Amino acid sequence: MDIKALSAVQKYAASRPATEPNASQGGAGDAFQSLARDFATTLQESENIAKAAMTGEADPHALVQALAQTELAVETAVTVRDKVVEAYQEILRMPV
């Protein structure tokens, strides 16, 4: 193997970790993942309470509270989605 090729391979291997994402930094991806997990948990809990209310195992107050939490979570998700779409459209309108 040529010395120059070996040197290039070693330099590439040394620079590669700088271009890989760092899992310990925790960025927006982790925040969105956490929000999505919380959203799914809220929906699942509300569904379980609704099922329990239909069988008479949960009181109506708990059902109303669960439905209110679900409504708030869905409205928040829709608002975030609208903002993301709006930002994406704004980026598409930018001149290159």
Side-chain angles (χ1 to χ4, degrees):
M1 182 179 246
D2 188 18
I3 299 283
K4 290 181 181 180
L6 182 60
S7 176
V9 168
Q10 288 174 344
K11 289 188 182 212
Y12 175 74
S15 66
R16 187 169 182 196
T19 60
E20 292 178 356
N22 190 353
S24 64
Q25 286 180 345
D30 290 341
F32 283 123
Q33 185 178 17
S34 175
L35 288 173
R37 191 177 302 120
D38 291 344
F39 177 73
T41 302
T42 300
L43 293 181
Q44 184 64 39
E45 289 174 359
S46 296
E47 185 177 340
N48 291 339
I49 291 174
K51 287 178 185 177
M54 284 186 230
T55 59
E57 297 173 4
D59 62 323
H61 177 55
L63 177 62
V64 170
Q65 187 176 14
L67 290 176
Q69 287 177 345
T70 302
E71 182 182 9
L72 181 62
V74 169
E75 286 177 2
T76 303
V78 168
T79 302
V80 169
R81 182 211 52 194
D82 291 345
K83 290 292 183 180
V84 168
V85 169
E86 183 181 323
Y88 178 73
Q89 289 173 344
E90 187 67 29
I91 290 170
L92 288 178
R93 284 191 288 264
M94 287 182 178
V96 181

